[in-house]
Amino acid sequence: MTIKSESVSLEDARRIVAAGEAKADEIGQPSNIAVVDVGGNLVAHVRMDGAWIGSVDISINKAFTSRAFDTSTGDLAADAGPGGQFFGINASNGGRVMIFAGGVPLRIGDRVVGAVGVSGGSGEQDRLVAEAAAAAL
Amino acid sequence: MTIKSESVSLEDARRIVAAGEAKADEIGQPSNIAVVDVGGNLVAHVRMDGAWIGSVDISINKAFTSRAFDTSTGDLAADAGPGGQFFGINASNGGRVMIFAGGVPLRIGDRVVGAVGVSGGSGEQDRLVAEAAAAAL
Amino acid sequence: MTIKSESVSLEDARRIVAAGEAKADEIGQPSNIAVVDVGGNLVAHVRMDGAWIGSVDISINKAFTSRAFDTSTGDLAADAGPGGQFFGINASNGGRVMIFAGGVPLRIGDRVVGAVGVSGGSGEQDRLVAEAAAAAL
Amino acid sequence: MTIKSESVSLEDARRIVAAGEAKADEIGQPSNIAVVDVGGNLVAHVRMDGAWIGSVDISINKAFTSRAFDTSTGDLAADAGPGGQFFGINASNGGRVMIFAGGVPLRIGDRVVGAVGVSGGSGEQDRLVAEAAAAAL
């Protein structure tokens, strides 16, 4: 008995990215925004003009992380520090696990169908942009 | 005395990606399409629905390669085989150098301002899509 | 509409490196000194006689980090520890993000045109050498 | 009984790099030029204005390779192709072994004291620049 899954399409990803860009413009923080599908693989990425080049990788990997563990990276952070139950998890997966805010799962009901990752500003700004993006699913 | 340079913007990258998608649709080959700026850093990426997940990395790195050496990856291929003057170049740059067709520099006159990379089909299909994309600069 | 940018030249990089060497001599701490351009790519590196071989990579990556996030690596350090908003950022970008002092952006007015990275001594020494280097732009 | 060794200094490396730059200017091919010491560790690197960004890594690793095996990378190429006695060697050392022309050992008599690596043009151009550089030791 195979497993059926459901994933964001490129069209969905574009709508999600556009919503993130609108929020990033509103708060005046050029950002990198990435969307991954249900398999954790990249569907779309944009770097807004003026956004950090070091955040290309971070946005993509925040999205990967959120789908990889079906959690926001901000929530993961709470368990990933010294003494936390997942301390050191960021060394797993070839260094792709990001443990600071800005990655959010994309859900339809209780099913995760992908994730969005944002990097470009403070942790709080990245979280705001990612949540605005995710809301557009 | 600093150096002035010129680079594709996100708006440019979107137009380039859209032209690539149109060509990919026309030839019936879902593709990954990536655009890098003059510094070789990613500006935008899309994976069309149904395109290979292994081609995410390849499209991004074909674009990187084309800017890194200001050449099409198809032309680089001719020198990168056994006995060629650049044999083994694909092991450089942490494995990011792609030596098969689908990466094309973006030029304004004789200046390179970025590059596009396409992966999804045969070498010939990738080259066609990349050239259609680059023509939209 | 393309984006115009401005970057350090090799001539600039040499002047910056020379100023860093002069400061390193003054404080008696042989250092590695690296300069990257606006795209984060290496323009020049020197390892002064007697400087640590492990600092080759660190100096280059401090320079990369400062341009990648348009910040000094010392300032980034404040946010990158346990509980900080960027905790774990050093695992991103393939391990190239350095989160201790010695990397400084190179600015003309409010534009970043590259960055310098220094490694060889204490954090305080590296910061001093990097700032003396950057002042020579 | 310890082993005494002899290595290029930063002053030597600068003279070597300058000689390489002069040759690169003469043949009109902006190049990356790197010098490593007797331990295979980087002493100095320059990227001439307009030289390929993908050649930063290649120049450094051609120099590393020449010292790692005390041979020119052009000579190594002859043994590194399909059927050759070192076929596949370029996958060793984490991908740092370059098997095309442009890396040359630096010798005093029969002792190797470092190496120079050049990348920027054709294999023949890189070899010419590297040999001119090495002659300045």
Side-chain angles (χ1 to χ4, degrees):
Chain A
M1 182 76 141
T2 57
I3 297 172
K4 300 282 190 293
S5 72
E6 190 177 354
S7 181
V8 288
S9 63
L10 176 54
E11 187 191 335
D12 295 325
R14 281 203 163 107
R15 200 172 55 247
I16 290 162
V17 166
E21 283 184 88
K23 176 57 77 176
D25 275 334
E26 184 191 318
I27 65 172
Q29 181 55 65
S31 298
N32 280 265
I33 306 172
V35 174
V36 299
D37 67 10
V38 73
N41 299 297
L42 190 64
V43 178
H45 163 271
V46 303
R47 172 159 54 98
M48 296 170 68
D49 296 340
W52 290 331
I53 56 180
S55 285
V56 172
D57 177 88
I58 295 173
S59 64
I60 294 171
N61 285 330
K62 281 183 179 171
F64 166 77
T65 301
S66 281
R67 171 51 186 144
F69 302 107
D70 291 348
T71 184
S72 76
T73 55
D75 285 349
L76 185 58
D79 285 325
Q85 63 175 331
F86 298 142
F87 181 49
I89 196 172
N90 53 320
S92 76
N93 288 275
R96 296 192 63 196
V97 176
M98 296 291 108
I99 53 174
F100 52 109
V104 175
L106 297 167
R107 295 182 198 271
I108 295 179
D110 61 354
R111 283 160 296 133
V112 176
V113 297
V116 60
V118 174
S119 181
S122 66
E124 179 59 13
Q125 289 175 312
D126 290 352
R127 189 185 62 74
L128 271 173
V129 173
E131 289 178 357
L137 173 56
Chain B
M1 184 71 141
T2 57
I3 297 172
K4 302 282 189 289
S5 72
E6 190 176 354
S7 181
V8 288
S9 63
L10 175 54
E11 186 191 337
D12 295 325
R14 281 204 164 105
R15 200 172 56 246
I16 290 162
V17 166
E21 283 184 271
K23 175 58 76 175
D25 276 335
E26 183 191 318
I27 65 173
Q29 181 55 67
S31 299
N32 280 265
I33 306 172
V35 174
V36 298
D37 68 10
V38 73
N41 298 299
L42 190 63
V43 178
H45 163 271
V46 304
R47 174 160 53 97
M48 295 170 68
D49 296 341
W52 290 331
I53 56 179
S55 286
V56 172
D57 176 87
I58 295 174
S59 63
I60 294 172
N61 285 331
K62 281 183 179 171
F64 166 76
T65 301
S66 282
R67 171 51 186 146
F69 303 105
D70 292 348
T71 186
S72 75
T73 55
D75 285 349
L76 187 57
D79 286 322
Q85 64 175 331
F86 298 144
F87 180 50
I89 195 171
N90 53 317
S92 76
N93 287 276
R96 298 193 62 195
V97 176
M98 295 292 107
I99 52 173
F100 52 109
V104 175
L106 297 168
R107 294 182 199 270
I108 296 180
D110 60 354
R111 282 162 296 132
V112 175
V113 298
V116 59
V118 174
S119 182
S122 67
E124 179 58 13
Q125 288 175 313
D126 290 350
R127 189 185 61 73
L128 272 173
V129 173
E131 288 179 357
L137 173 56
Chain C
M1 183 73 141
T2 57
I3 296 173
K4 302 282 188 291
S5 72
E6 190 176 354
S7 181
V8 288
S9 63
L10 175 54
E11 186 192 337
D12 296 324
R14 281 202 164 107
R15 200 171 56 246
I16 290 161
V17 166
E21 284 184 89
K23 175 59 76 175
D25 276 335
E26 184 191 318
I27 65 173
Q29 180 56 66
S31 299
N32 280 264
I33 306 171
V35 174
V36 298
D37 68 10
V38 73
N41 298 298
L42 190 63
V43 178
H45 164 271
V46 303
R47 173 160 52 97
M48 295 170 68
D49 296 341
W52 290 331
I53 55 179
S55 286
V56 173
D57 176 87
I58 295 174
S59 63
I60 294 171
N61 285 331
K62 281 184 181 172
F64 166 76
T65 301
S66 282
R67 172 50 187 145
F69 303 105
D70 292 348
T71 186
S72 75
T73 55
D75 285 348
L76 186 57
D79 286 322
Q85 63 175 333
F86 298 144
F87 180 50
I89 195 172
N90 54 316
S92 76
N93 288 276
R96 297 192 62 195
V97 175
M98 296 291 109
I99 52 173
F100 52 108
V104 175
L106 297 167
R107 295 182 198 270
I108 296 179
D110 60 354
R111 282 161 296 135
V112 176
V113 298
V116 60
V118 174
S119 180
S122 67
E124 179 58 13
Q125 288 175 313
D126 290 351
R127 189 185 61 75
L128 271 173
V129 173
E131 288 178 357
L137 173 56
Chain D
M1 181 75 141
T2 57
I3 297 173
K4 300 282 191 293
S5 72
E6 190 177 354
S7 180
V8 289
S9 63
L10 176 53
E11 187 190 336
D12 295 325
R14 282 205 162 106
R15 199 170 57 247
I16 290 162
V17 166
E21 283 184 89
K23 176 57 77 174
D25 276 335
E26 184 190 318
I27 65 172
Q29 181 56 67
S31 299
N32 280 264
I33 306 171
V35 174
V36 298
D37 68 11
V38 73
N41 299 297
L42 190 63
V43 179
H45 163 271
V46 303
R47 173 160 54 98
M48 296 170 67
D49 296 340
W52 290 330
I53 56 180
S55 285
V56 172
D57 177 88
I58 294 174
S59 63
I60 294 171
N61 285 330
K62 281 183 180 172
F64 166 77
T65 301
S66 282
R67 171 53 187 142
F69 301 107
D70 291 348
T71 185
S72 76
T73 54
D75 284 349
L76 185 58
D79 285 324
Q85 64 176 329
F86 298 143
F87 180 49
I89 195 171
N90 54 320
S92 77
N93 289 275
R96 297 193 62 196
V97 176
M98 296 291 107
I99 54 173
F100 53 109
V104 174
L106 297 167
R107 294 182 199 271
I108 295 178
D110 60 355
R111 284 161 296 134
V112 176
V113 297
V116 59
V118 174
S119 181
S122 67
E124 178 60 13
Q125 288 175 314
D126 291 350
R127 189 186 61 75
L128 272 173
V129 173
E131 289 178 357
L137 173 56

